Amino acid sequence: MNYTFTIIVPVYNEEDNLERVEKELLAYTKTASTPTKILFVNDGSKDNSQAIIETICNTHAHFDFLLFSKNSGLSAAIKAGFDYVDTELVGYIDSDLQTDPKDFDLLLEHIGAFDLVTGVRANRKDSFVKNMSSKIANGIRRTFTHDGMDDTGCPLKVIKTDFAKRIPMFKGLHRFLPAMILLQHGKVIQIPVQHFPRIAGTAKFGLWNRLLGPLMDCFAYLWMKKKYINYDVAKKST
């Protein structure tokens, strides 16, 4: 099959979620609006996640995986996915499945006119502390980047792959994907998507990750913005 869309699924110690991930993503690929395949990126899990992932990939031809030799973080997992995909569109979803894979179709409706489409978690099902820290972090990020996005932490995005591959990732940059597309003079839009409580496993981000970490990352973004190189090739030899 000629696939046009790859969904990256970062995984770190999610053995209790992976059976449901397989079920939900398999169901989505059967009804997706464009031919879709899955790429697990195992970020050095210390539990039984890798064995489960390999069983899933051996069962379904359109499921593949990458395994890191050690834990490198969410941004590294997303970057690796961007580097390895070979479809014209790439997206990602968290393995906790607090967002619904079927909502990818809502984002794909808009990708023709835009270069990144990100979800916005409507009616979030997280704790008060998690919601408030995310709102504060998003406000800080908007002040620095002027990207106009309300919820860049939403783990449901679709990006044109040629734009994704040009993003120079650093730790924490997964929060700045719309801003990095804007640096490439691309177009971004946000679309409301569903949100659900975490059923199994443990959240990997705490108060530091959601507030102080993003504030420090904003300064890294500002440095990168000053140094970022854009070019357009007008013609090349054939």
Side-chain angles (χ1 to χ4, degrees):
M1 181 179 294
N2 293 321
Y3 296 100
T4 56
F5 181 39
T6 301
I7 299 173
I8 300 167
V9 187
V11 176
Y12 181 63
N13 294 344
E14 292 286 0
E15 62 181 3
D16 294 332
N17 273 317
L18 287 173
E19 182 178 345
R20 191 164 65 96
V21 169
E22 175 190 15
K23 178 181 177 182
E24 294 293 331
L25 288 176
L26 182 62
Y28 173 68
T29 60
K30 292 179 179 179
T31 63
S33 59
T34 190
T36 300
K37 60 181 179 177
I38 311 299
L39 177 63
F40 290 106
V41 182
N42 186 351
D43 184 21
S45 294
K46 297 177 175 63
D47 62 0
N48 198 43
S49 292
Q50 182 59 25
I52 299 171
I53 288 171
E54 291 191 25
T55 298
I56 293 171
C57 293
N58 288 333
T59 304
H60 310 294
H62 57 304
F63 282 64
D64 295 303
F65 72 85
L66 300 173
L67 171 63
F68 285 0
S69 60
K70 62 180 181 179
N71 178 240
S72 299
L74 179 58
S75 291
I78 294 171
K79 169 62 172 170
F82 289 169
D83 289 343
Y84 276 84
V85 297
D86 57 4
T87 52
E88 64 182 83
L89 299 174
V90 60
Y92 83 88
I93 188 170
D94 278 355
S95 50
D96 59 18
L97 285 188
Q98 287 192 256
T99 48
D100 189 340
K102 291 191 292 293
D103 283 347
F104 273 120
D105 281 353
L106 299 176
L107 308 188
L108 287 165
E109 287 179 13
H110 300 271
I111 196 62
F114 294 89
D115 305 298
L116 176 146
V117 185
T118 182
V120 178
R121 291 168 285 191
N123 192 21
R124 287 186 63 173
K125 305 298 183 182
D126 290 322
S127 67
F128 174 79
V129 171
K130 186 174 181 179
N131 283 336
M132 287 305 299
S133 60
S134 291
K135 286 183 179 180
I136 294 169
N138 276 303
I140 293 170
R141 189 209 67 259
R142 281 196 304 272
T143 300
F144 278 82
T145 66
H146 305 289
D147 62 9
M149 300 289 104
D150 297 317
D151 184 19
T152 61
C154 178
L156 202 72
K157 291 178 173 63
V158 176
I159 313 173
K160 289 178 179 173
T161 300
D162 57 345
F163 279 82
K165 288 183 179 293
R166 290 196 295 265
I167 296 175
M169 294 287 275
F170 59 80
K171 287 186 177 180
L173 195 64
H174 61 274
R175 305 180 183 95
F176 294 82
L177 293 180
M180 296 307 299
I181 299 302
L182 291 173
L183 280 184
Q184 299 180 45
H185 307 306
K187 296 180 180 180
V188 302
I189 190 174
Q190 54 187 4
I191 302 296
V193 297
Q194 303 174 85
H195 190 248
F196 306 93
R198 176 184 267 274
I199 294 176
T202 305
K204 308 304 185 294
F205 292 93
L207 188 61
W208 166 264
N209 303 98
R210 297 193 185 97
L211 289 179
L212 299 181
L215 178 59
M216 296 173 64
D217 294 338
C218 284
F219 291 105
Y221 167 79
L222 289 180
W223 177 88
M224 179 178 292
K225 183 177 180 180
K226 290 181 180 179
K227 303 292 185 180
Y228 193 79
I229 295 173
N230 262 313
Y231 65 87
D232 293 304
V233 175
K235 190 176 183 181
K236 64 179 182 180
S237 61
T238 56

mmCIF file of all heavy atoms in Angstrom, residues 96-132:
data_model
loop_
_atom_site.group_PDB
_atom_site.id
_atom_site.type_symbol
_atom_site.label_atom_id
_atom_site.label_comp_id
_atom_site.label_asym_id
_atom_site.label_seq_id
_atom_site.Cartn_x
_atom_site.Cartn_y
_atom_site.Cartn_z
ATOM 1 N N ASP A 96 -0.585 7.314 26.102
ATOM 2 C CA ASP A 96 -1.580 7.237 27.176
ATOM 3 C C ASP A 96 -3.002 7.308 26.631
ATOM 4 O O ASP A 96 -3.969 7.060 27.352
ATOM 5 C CB ASP A 96 -1.362 8.332 28.219
ATOM 6 C CG ASP A 96 -1.439 9.747 27.647
ATOM 7 O OD1 ASP A 96 -1.989 9.928 26.543
ATOM 8 O OD2 ASP A 96 -0.957 10.675 28.326
ATOM 9 N N LEU A 97 -3.143 7.655 25.336
ATOM 10 C CA LEU A 97 -4.441 7.737 24.648
ATOM 11 C C LEU A 97 -5.443 8.635 25.379
ATOM 12 O O LEU A 97 -6.639 8.338 25.441
ATOM 13 C CB LEU A 97 -5.047 6.345 24.445
ATOM 14 C CG LEU A 97 -4.418 5.484 23.340
ATOM 15 C CD1 LEU A 97 -5.236 4.224 23.117
ATOM 16 C CD2 LEU A 97 -4.271 6.255 22.030
ATOM 17 N N GLN A 98 -4.946 9.770 25.884
ATOM 18 C CA GLN A 98 -5.886 10.767 26.416
ATOM 19 C C GLN A 98 -6.507 11.577 25.283
ATOM 20 O O GLN A 98 -7.392 12.393 25.521
ATOM 21 C CB GLN A 98 -5.181 11.681 27.418
ATOM 22 C CG GLN A 98 -4.883 10.992 28.750
ATOM 23 C CD GLN A 98 -4.451 11.978 29.829
ATOM 24 O OE1 GLN A 98 -3.272 12.065 30.159
ATOM 25 N NE2 GLN A 98 -5.402 12.709 30.372
ATOM 26 N N THR A 99 -6.034 11.357 24.069
ATOM 27 C CA THR A 99 -6.693 11.879 22.880
ATOM 28 C C THR A 99 -7.093 10.703 22.000
ATOM 29 O O THR A 99 -6.550 9.606 22.121
ATOM 30 C CB THR A 99 -5.769 12.837 22.103
ATOM 31 O OG1 THR A 99 -4.481 12.224 21.942
ATOM 32 C CG2 THR A 99 -5.612 14.158 22.833
ATOM 33 N N ASP A 100 -8.046 10.927 21.103
ATOM 34 C CA ASP A 100 -8.640 9.861 20.301
ATOM 35 C C ASP A 100 -8.027 9.849 18.900
ATOM 36 O O ASP A 100 -8.063 10.869 18.201
ATOM 37 C CB ASP A 100 -10.153 10.101 20.205
ATOM 38 C CG ASP A 100 -10.903 8.948 19.577
ATOM 39 O OD1 ASP A 100 -10.278 8.127 18.885
ATOM 40 O OD2 ASP A 100 -12.127 8.865 19.784
ATOM 41 N N PRO A 101 -7.462 8.721 18.474
ATOM 42 C CA PRO A 101 -6.887 8.664 17.120
ATOM 43 C C PRO A 101 -7.872 9.066 16.028
ATOM 44 O O PRO A 101 -7.464 9.620 14.995
ATOM 45 C CB PRO A 101 -6.471 7.194 16.971
ATOM 46 C CG PRO A 101 -6.281 6.709 18.364
ATOM 47 C CD PRO A 101 -7.273 7.451 19.205
ATOM 48 N N LYS A 102 -9.146 8.820 16.237
ATOM 49 C CA LYS A 102 -10.133 9.171 15.208
ATOM 50 C C LYS A 102 -10.157 10.670 14.940
ATOM 51 O O LYS A 102 -10.552 11.101 13.850
ATOM 52 C CB LYS A 102 -11.524 8.682 15.626
ATOM 53 C CG LYS A 102 -11.682 7.161 15.623
ATOM 54 C CD LYS A 102 -13.121 6.732 15.777
ATOM 55 C CE LYS A 102 -13.688 7.048 17.146
ATOM 56 N NZ LYS A 102 -13.048 6.264 18.224
ATOM 57 N N ASP A 103 -9.723 11.468 15.913
ATOM 58 C CA ASP A 103 -9.702 12.917 15.720
ATOM 59 C C ASP A 103 -8.599 13.367 14.760
ATOM 60 O O ASP A 103 -8.578 14.531 14.345
ATOM 61 C CB ASP A 103 -9.543 13.638 17.060
ATOM 62 C CG ASP A 103 -10.846 13.664 17.856
ATOM 63 O OD1 ASP A 103 -11.899 13.344 17.274
ATOM 64 O OD2 ASP A 103 -10.814 14.014 19.057
ATOM 65 N N PHE A 104 -7.685 12.450 14.391
ATOM 66 C CA PHE A 104 -6.729 12.794 13.332
ATOM 67 C C PHE A 104 -7.459 13.215 12.062
ATOM 68 O O PHE A 104 -6.987 14.095 11.330
ATOM 69 C CB PHE A 104 -5.799 11.613 13.023
ATOM 70 C CG PHE A 104 -4.582 11.547 13.895
ATOM 71 C CD1 PHE A 104 -4.356 10.437 14.696
ATOM 72 C CD2 PHE A 104 -3.659 12.586 13.920
ATOM 73 C CE1 PHE A 104 -3.225 10.356 15.492
ATOM 74 C CE2 PHE A 104 -2.527 12.513 14.718
ATOM 75 C CZ PHE A 104 -2.310 11.396 15.514
ATOM 76 N N ASP A 105 -8.610 12.607 11.790
ATOM 77 C CA ASP A 105 -9.348 12.970 10.583
ATOM 78 C C ASP A 105 -9.804 14.425 10.619
ATOM 79 O O ASP A 105 -9.895 15.083 9.576
ATOM 80 C CB ASP A 105 -10.552 12.041 10.388
ATOM 81 C CG ASP A 105 -10.153 10.699 9.791
ATOM 82 O OD1 ASP A 105 -8.978 10.534 9.418
ATOM 83 O OD2 ASP A 105 -11.026 9.811 9.715
ATOM 84 N N LEU A 106 -10.094 14.959 11.819
ATOM 85 C CA LEU A 106 -10.458 16.372 11.948
ATOM 86 C C LEU A 106 -9.283 17.267 11.551
ATOM 87 O O LEU A 106 -9.463 18.308 10.913
ATOM 88 C CB LEU A 106 -10.872 16.690 13.387
ATOM 89 C CG LEU A 106 -12.080 15.939 13.953
ATOM 90 C CD1 LEU A 106 -12.296 16.300 15.422
ATOM 91 C CD2 LEU A 106 -13.334 16.260 13.136
ATOM 92 N N LEU A 107 -8.067 16.842 11.939
ATOM 93 C CA LEU A 107 -6.884 17.629 11.608
ATOM 94 C C LEU A 107 -6.525 17.492 10.127
ATOM 95 O O LEU A 107 -6.135 18.467 9.480
ATOM 96 C CB LEU A 107 -5.702 17.185 12.478
ATOM 97 C CG LEU A 107 -5.923 17.131 13.998
ATOM 98 C CD1 LEU A 107 -4.597 16.856 14.708
ATOM 99 C CD2 LEU A 107 -6.557 18.400 14.522
ATOM 100 N N LEU A 108 -6.667 16.274 9.603
ATOM 101 C CA LEU A 108 -6.307 16.031 8.204
ATOM 102 C C LEU A 108 -7.189 16.818 7.238
ATOM 103 O O LEU A 108 -6.756 17.128 6.115
ATOM 104 C CB LEU A 108 -6.404 14.532 7.900
ATOM 105 C CG LEU A 108 -5.292 13.671 8.517
ATOM 106 C CD1 LEU A 108 -5.680 12.191 8.478
ATOM 107 C CD2 LEU A 108 -3.965 13.891 7.803
ATOM 108 N N GLU A 109 -8.390 17.171 7.660
ATOM 109 C CA GLU A 109 -9.269 17.975 6.813
ATOM 110 C C GLU A 109 -8.641 19.324 6.461
ATOM 111 O O GLU A 109 -8.956 19.915 5.430
ATOM 112 C CB GLU A 109 -10.606 18.228 7.519
ATOM 113 C CG GLU A 109 -11.528 17.028 7.607
ATOM 114 C CD GLU A 109 -12.817 17.367 8.339
ATOM 115 O OE1 GLU A 109 -13.081 18.581 8.541
ATOM 116 O OE2 GLU A 109 -13.553 16.442 8.708
ATOM 117 N N HIS A 110 -7.741 19.810 7.309
ATOM 118 C CA HIS A 110 -7.200 21.162 7.143
ATOM 119 C C HIS A 110 -5.760 21.185 6.650
ATOM 120 O O HIS A 110 -5.235 22.254 6.349
ATOM 121 C CB HIS A 110 -7.274 21.909 8.486
ATOM 122 C CG HIS A 110 -8.668 22.049 9.020
ATOM 123 N ND1 HIS A 110 -9.498 23.107 8.703
ATOM 124 C CD2 HIS A 110 -9.392 21.240 9.842
ATOM 125 C CE1 HIS A 110 -10.666 22.959 9.312
ATOM 126 N NE2 HIS A 110 -10.625 21.833 10.012
ATOM 127 N N ILE A 111 -5.105 20.031 6.564
ATOM 128 C CA ILE A 111 -3.673 20.024 6.281
ATOM 129 C C ILE A 111 -3.348 20.486 4.866
ATOM 130 O O ILE A 111 -2.232 20.938 4.604
ATOM 131 C CB ILE A 111 -3.063 18.616 6.551
ATOM 132 C CG1 ILE A 111 -1.524 18.689 6.653
ATOM 133 C CG2 ILE A 111 -3.502 17.620 5.474
ATOM 134 C CD1 ILE A 111 -1.012 19.537 7.777
ATOM 135 N N GLY A 112 -4.316 20.442 3.948
ATOM 136 C CA GLY A 112 -4.045 20.915 2.598
ATOM 137 C C GLY A 112 -3.690 22.390 2.558
ATOM 138 O O GLY A 112 -2.772 22.803 1.842
ATOM 139 N N ALA A 113 -4.384 23.195 3.349
ATOM 140 C CA ALA A 113 -4.175 24.641 3.349
ATOM 141 C C ALA A 113 -3.147 25.084 4.386
ATOM 142 O O ALA A 113 -2.743 26.255 4.390
ATOM 143 C CB ALA A 113 -5.499 25.358 3.598
ATOM 144 N N PHE A 114 -2.741 24.176 5.280
ATOM 145 C CA PHE A 114 -1.810 24.521 6.352
ATOM 146 C C PHE A 114 -0.644 23.532 6.361
ATOM 147 O O PHE A 114 -0.711 22.466 5.755
ATOM 148 C CB PHE A 114 -2.536 24.517 7.697
ATOM 149 C CG PHE A 114 -3.585 25.591 7.810
ATOM 150 C CD1 PHE A 114 -4.890 25.347 7.400
ATOM 151 C CD2 PHE A 114 -3.262 26.843 8.296
ATOM 152 C CE1 PHE A 114 -5.857 26.342 7.481
ATOM 153 C CE2 PHE A 114 -4.224 27.844 8.384
ATOM 154 C CZ PHE A 114 -5.522 27.596 7.978
ATOM 155 N N ASP A 115 0.412 23.913 7.080
ATOM 156 C CA ASP A 115 1.598 23.073 7.151
ATOM 157 C C ASP A 115 1.701 22.330 8.477
ATOM 158 O O ASP A 115 2.418 21.339 8.576
ATOM 159 C CB ASP A 115 2.846 23.923 6.909
ATOM 160 C CG ASP A 115 2.745 24.669 5.583
ATOM 161 O OD1 ASP A 115 2.667 23.986 4.538
ATOM 162 O OD2 ASP A 115 2.710 25.907 5.591
ATOM 163 N N LEU A 116 1.004 22.796 9.480
ATOM 164 C CA LEU A 116 0.836 22.094 10.754
ATOM 165 C C LEU A 116 -0.573 22.341 11.261
ATOM 166 O O LEU A 116 -1.048 23.481 11.264
ATOM 167 C CB LEU A 116 1.851 22.570 11.798
ATOM 168 C CG LEU A 116 1.704 21.956 13.206
ATOM 169 C CD1 LEU A 116 3.077 21.794 13.868
ATOM 170 C CD2 LEU A 116 0.819 22.821 14.120
ATOM 171 N N VAL A 117 -1.236 21.267 11.670
ATOM 172 C CA VAL A 117 -2.545 21.360 12.305
ATOM 173 C C VAL A 117 -2.414 20.708 13.674
ATOM 174 O O VAL A 117 -2.024 19.537 13.774
ATOM 175 C CB VAL A 117 -3.650 20.661 11.489
ATOM 176 C CG1 VAL A 117 -5.009 20.904 12.133
ATOM 177 C CG2 VAL A 117 -3.643 21.145 10.042
ATOM 178 N N THR A 118 -2.694 21.453 14.720
ATOM 179 C CA THR A 118 -2.574 20.922 16.076
ATOM 180 C C THR A 118 -3.929 20.875 16.759
ATOM 181 O O THR A 118 -4.782 21.724 16.516
ATOM 182 C CB THR A 118 -1.594 21.766 16.924
ATOM 183 O OG1 THR A 118 -1.466 21.183 18.230
ATOM 184 C CG2 THR A 118 -2.075 23.200 17.081
ATOM 185 N N GLY A 119 -4.112 19.885 17.577
ATOM 186 C CA GLY A 119 -5.328 19.797 18.361
ATOM 187 C C GLY A 119 -5.290 20.750 19.546
ATOM 188 O O GLY A 119 -4.235 21.148 20.022
ATOM 189 N N VAL A 120 -6.473 21.129 20.003
ATOM 190 C CA VAL A 120 -6.653 21.853 21.256
ATOM 191 C C VAL A 120 -7.575 21.004 22.111
ATOM 192 O O VAL A 120 -8.694 20.682 21.691
ATOM 193 C CB VAL A 120 -7.289 23.241 21.038
ATOM 194 C CG1 VAL A 120 -7.502 23.952 22.378
ATOM 195 C CG2 VAL A 120 -6.427 24.090 20.135
ATOM 196 N N ARG A 121 -7.113 20.612 23.297
ATOM 197 C CA ARG A 121 -7.891 19.713 24.149
ATOM 198 C C ARG A 121 -9.100 20.431 24.732
ATOM 199 O O ARG A 121 -8.967 21.299 25.596
ATOM 200 C CB ARG A 121 -7.002 19.147 25.252
ATOM 201 C CG ARG A 121 -5.945 18.194 24.738
ATOM 202 C CD ARG A 121 -4.898 17.862 25.768
ATOM 203 N NE ARG A 121 -3.961 18.977 25.960
ATOM 204 C CZ ARG A 121 -2.828 18.888 26.640
ATOM 205 N NH1 ARG A 121 -2.480 17.728 27.198
ATOM 206 N NH2 ARG A 121 -2.034 19.933 26.769
ATOM 207 N N ALA A 122 -10.284 20.088 24.225
ATOM 208 C CA ALA A 122 -11.526 20.683 24.709
ATOM 209 C C ALA A 122 -11.990 19.936 25.961
ATOM 210 O O ALA A 122 -11.913 18.709 26.027
ATOM 211 C CB ALA A 122 -12.597 20.605 23.627
ATOM 212 N N ASN A 123 -12.435 20.690 26.972
ATOM 213 C CA ASN A 123 -12.967 20.076 28.189
ATOM 214 C C ASN A 123 -11.978 19.071 28.776
ATOM 215 O O ASN A 123 -12.267 17.889 28.953
ATOM 216 C CB ASN A 123 -14.308 19.387 27.895
ATOM 217 C CG ASN A 123 -15.042 18.976 29.170
ATOM 218 O OD1 ASN A 123 -14.788 19.516 30.248
ATOM 219 N ND2 ASN A 123 -15.942 18.006 29.041
ATOM 220 N N ARG A 124 -10.782 19.560 29.100
ATOM 221 C CA ARG A 124 -9.702 18.684 29.557
ATOM 222 C C ARG A 124 -10.076 17.908 30.810
ATOM 223 O O ARG A 124 -10.729 18.427 31.710
ATOM 224 C CB ARG A 124 -8.427 19.492 29.812
ATOM 225 C CG ARG A 124 -7.751 19.941 28.535
ATOM 226 C CD ARG A 124 -6.422 20.615 28.824
ATOM 227 N NE ARG A 124 -5.471 19.709 29.458
ATOM 228 C CZ ARG A 124 -4.205 20.043 29.686
ATOM 229 N NH1 ARG A 124 -3.760 21.249 29.343
ATOM 230 N NH2 ARG A 124 -3.379 19.178 30.245
ATOM 231 N N LYS A 125 -9.631 16.648 30.845
ATOM 232 C CA LYS A 125 -9.957 15.739 31.950
ATOM 233 C C LYS A 125 -8.770 15.539 32.894
ATOM 234 O O LYS A 125 -8.603 14.478 33.473
ATOM 235 C CB LYS A 125 -10.401 14.382 31.390
ATOM 236 C CG LYS A 125 -11.543 14.459 30.394
ATOM 237 C CD LYS A 125 -12.807 15.033 31.008
ATOM 238 C CE LYS A 125 -13.953 15.018 30.006
ATOM 239 N NZ LYS A 125 -15.196 15.609 30.556
ATOM 240 N N ASP A 126 -7.948 16.566 33.061
ATOM 241 C CA ASP A 126 -6.797 16.482 33.954
ATOM 242 C C ASP A 126 -7.106 17.147 35.288
ATOM 243 O O ASP A 126 -8.138 17.813 35.450
ATOM 244 C CB ASP A 126 -5.577 17.158 33.306
ATOM 245 C CG ASP A 126 -5.035 16.375 32.134
ATOM 246 O OD1 ASP A 126 -5.024 15.129 32.219
ATOM 247 O OD2 ASP A 126 -4.622 16.990 31.133
ATOM 248 N N SER A 127 -6.187 17.008 36.236
ATOM 249 C CA SER A 127 -6.361 17.609 37.551
ATOM 250 C C SER A 127 -6.289 19.127 37.461
ATOM 251 O O SER A 127 -5.781 19.705 36.489
ATOM 252 C CB SER A 127 -5.272 17.113 38.503
ATOM 253 O OG SER A 127 -4.003 17.604 38.099
ATOM 254 N N PHE A 128 -6.778 19.804 38.501
ATOM 255 C CA PHE A 128 -6.762 21.265 38.546
ATOM 256 C C PHE A 128 -5.326 21.783 38.432
ATOM 257 O O PHE A 128 -5.050 22.720 37.676
ATOM 258 C CB PHE A 128 -7.394 21.754 39.844
ATOM 259 C CG PHE A 128 -7.291 23.240 40.049
ATOM 260 C CD1 PHE A 128 -8.153 24.100 39.390
ATOM 261 C CD2 PHE A 128 -6.312 23.776 40.878
ATOM 262 C CE1 PHE A 128 -8.047 25.484 39.563
ATOM 263 C CE2 PHE A 128 -6.198 25.142 41.062
ATOM 264 C CZ PHE A 128 -7.073 25.997 40.402
ATOM 265 N N VAL A 129 -4.401 21.164 39.170
ATOM 266 C CA VAL A 129 -3.008 21.608 39.151
ATOM 267 C C VAL A 129 -2.416 21.450 37.759
ATOM 268 O O VAL A 129 -1.731 22.344 37.243
ATOM 269 C CB VAL A 129 -2.172 20.831 40.187
ATOM 270 C CG1 VAL A 129 -0.688 21.140 40.025
ATOM 271 C CG2 VAL A 129 -2.627 21.174 41.601
ATOM 272 N N LYS A 130 -2.678 20.313 37.122
ATOM 273 C CA LYS A 130 -2.139 20.069 35.784
ATOM 274 C C LYS A 130 -2.725 21.051 34.776
ATOM 275 O O LYS A 130 -2.009 21.600 33.931
ATOM 276 C CB LYS A 130 -2.435 18.633 35.358
ATOM 277 C CG LYS A 130 -1.789 18.225 34.043
ATOM 278 C CD LYS A 130 -1.997 16.750 33.761
ATOM 279 C CE LYS A 130 -1.343 16.331 32.454
ATOM 280 N NZ LYS A 130 -1.534 14.886 32.183
ATOM 281 N N ASN A 131 -4.032 21.310 34.867
ATOM 282 C CA ASN A 131 -4.666 22.249 33.947
ATOM 283 C C ASN A 131 -4.117 23.658 34.125
ATOM 284 O O ASN A 131 -3.819 24.358 33.148
ATOM 285 C CB ASN A 131 -6.180 22.244 34.144
ATOM 286 C CG ASN A 131 -6.856 21.034 33.522
ATOM 287 O OD1 ASN A 131 -6.334 20.431 32.595
ATOM 288 N ND2 ASN A 131 -8.016 20.676 34.040
ATOM 289 N N MET A 132 -3.995 24.102 35.376
ATOM 290 C CA MET A 132 -3.538 25.466 35.639
ATOM 291 C C MET A 132 -2.075 25.638 35.228
ATOM 292 O O MET A 132 -1.713 26.661 34.640
ATOM 293 C CB MET A 132 -3.724 25.814 37.110
ATOM 294 C CG MET A 132 -5.167 26.051 37.510
ATOM 295 S SD MET A 132 -5.984 27.319 36.492
ATOM 296 C CE MET A 132 -4.965 28.752 36.856
#
